Amino acid sequence: MISVAIDGPAGAGKSTIARAAAEKLGFIYVDTGALYRAIGLNCIKNNVDINDPAKVAAILPDTEIRVVFFNGEQRVLLGGDDVSEEIRSEKASMTASVVSAIPEVRKFLLDLQRSFAKVNSVIMDGRDIGTVVLPNASVKIFLTASPQSRAERRVNQLREKGLEADYETILKDIMIRDENDTNRSIAPLKPAEDSVLLDTTKLTLQQSIESVISIIKEAAAL
Ligand code: DC
């Protein structure tokens, strides 16, 4: 079984790149950010004050999150409802960033994340996969890009879907999330010591996917 950890800041293209690489290699792709988003969404739905860690921790025992794979696509179920689309809103993103700094939330999701790598070859993306979730991963990649190019890509993504997108607002949100994710005391965003750093600022999507595949093939001797 091969496990690949891909960590990096918001908007670096991790999910698109990891999904494509997993498809090519026949691995399962696990998007761990979706789990934090589901916890955030659950707080929004239940009017839980996310700035009060004790209140967020208190509803965890009643939070039922399940992950299923349909045709290789990950779907996230919250209390039995498929929330895979709902968790993508900007509000859910910001909420996820706040709740992910709560130690009880991270602990709550740890075993679930590890369980995927026990029975499948996986590419798992997140912030702390190589450092905390899968410290013995076969391959660790830290994927990054400048905040400006990440914001630009996000704007294009939203516009392609016909959604409103303001570059300045998105850039500001990305910088706030970077700040939250990097400076929290628990499982902060940082490259694992044994990770390969890949900066995609000047790469096209196709070049980024090819780079990731060749890093995996080389490191895992495939
Ligand atoms: O990758 P994403 O944007 O969907 O992640 C949403 C939030 O969840 C992000 O602000 C950081 C957090 N997160 C985390 O703390 N650890 C992970 N392994 C994945 C995501």
Side-chain angles (χ1 to χ4, degrees):
M1 221 84 77
I2 292 164
S3 52
V4 180
I6 301 188
D7 292 302
K14 294 187 301 292
S15 59
T16 313
I17 295 167
R19 182 180 290 112
E23 191 177 341
K24 174 95 184 167
L25 295 166
F27 294 5
I28 280 192
Y29 162 58
V30 182
D31 163 14
T32 64
L35 307 176
Y36 291 92
R37 288 167 179 267
I39 301 262
L41 184 67
N42 194 42
C43 291
I44 297 173
K45 284 183 186 285
N46 290 288
N47 287 319
V48 172
D49 177 3
I50 55 164
N51 295 308
D52 184 341
K55 294 218 168 81
V56 175
I59 63 155
L60 290 174
D62 298 322
T63 306
E64 193 219 349
I65 293 179
R66 278 194 302 135
V67 173
V68 291
F69 295 91
F70 277 130
N71 301 327
E73 252 324 280
Q74 168 182 323
R75 310 295 298 180
V76 179
L77 308 183
L78 174 65
D81 295 333
D82 188 338
V83 292
S84 310
E85 268 82 44
E86 217 176 335
I87 55 174
R88 295 292 145 202
S89 69
E90 278 302 305
K91 182 152 189 229
S93 302
M94 294 310 283
T95 310
S97 180
V98 175
V99 299
S100 67
I102 301 171
E104 287 85 350
V105 170
R106 306 204 70 84
K107 190 160 173 281
F108 181 76
L109 294 176
L110 194 56
D111 287 344
L112 178 62
Q113 294 173 83
R114 285 184 175 156
S115 67
F116 302 118
K118 287 198 180 121
V119 286
N120 307 287
S121 281
V122 291
I123 298 186
M124 202 177 288
D125 85 17
R127 304 294 188 287
D128 62 337
I129 308 304
T131 50
V132 178
V133 179
L134 302 176
N136 299 319
S138 333
V139 187
K140 298 181 185 177
I141 299 172
F142 195 83
L143 203 68
T144 186
S146 70
Q148 290 74 16
S149 77
R150 289 186 276 138
E152 231 167 79
R153 289 175 194 168
R154 179 81 184 135
V155 166
N156 291 338
Q157 234 176 27
L158 289 170
R159 291 196 179 143
E160 271 165 29
K161 287 188 196 159
L163 299 170
E164 285 275 313
D166 174 56
Y167 173 80
E168 290 303 329
T169 311
I170 287 177
L171 179 60
K172 203 171 114 230
D173 282 358
I174 281 185
M175 289 174 133
I176 294 172
R177 284 218 278 157
D178 280 1
E179 178 78 14
N180 288 349
D181 296 349
T182 310
N183 294 319
R184 66 182 178 218
S185 54
I186 177 165
L189 171 66
K190 65 162 196 246
E193 273 175 21
D194 48 353
S195 62
V196 178
L197 189 77
L198 182 64
D199 185 329
T200 66
T201 305
K202 295 201 170 72
L203 301 184
T204 64
L205 179 59
Q206 206 47 44
Q207 289 169 328
S208 308
I209 294 167
E210 280 160 17
S211 303
V212 163
I213 292 173
S214 67
I215 292 169
I216 295 170
K217 283 189 166 167
E218 193 170 319
L222 288 176

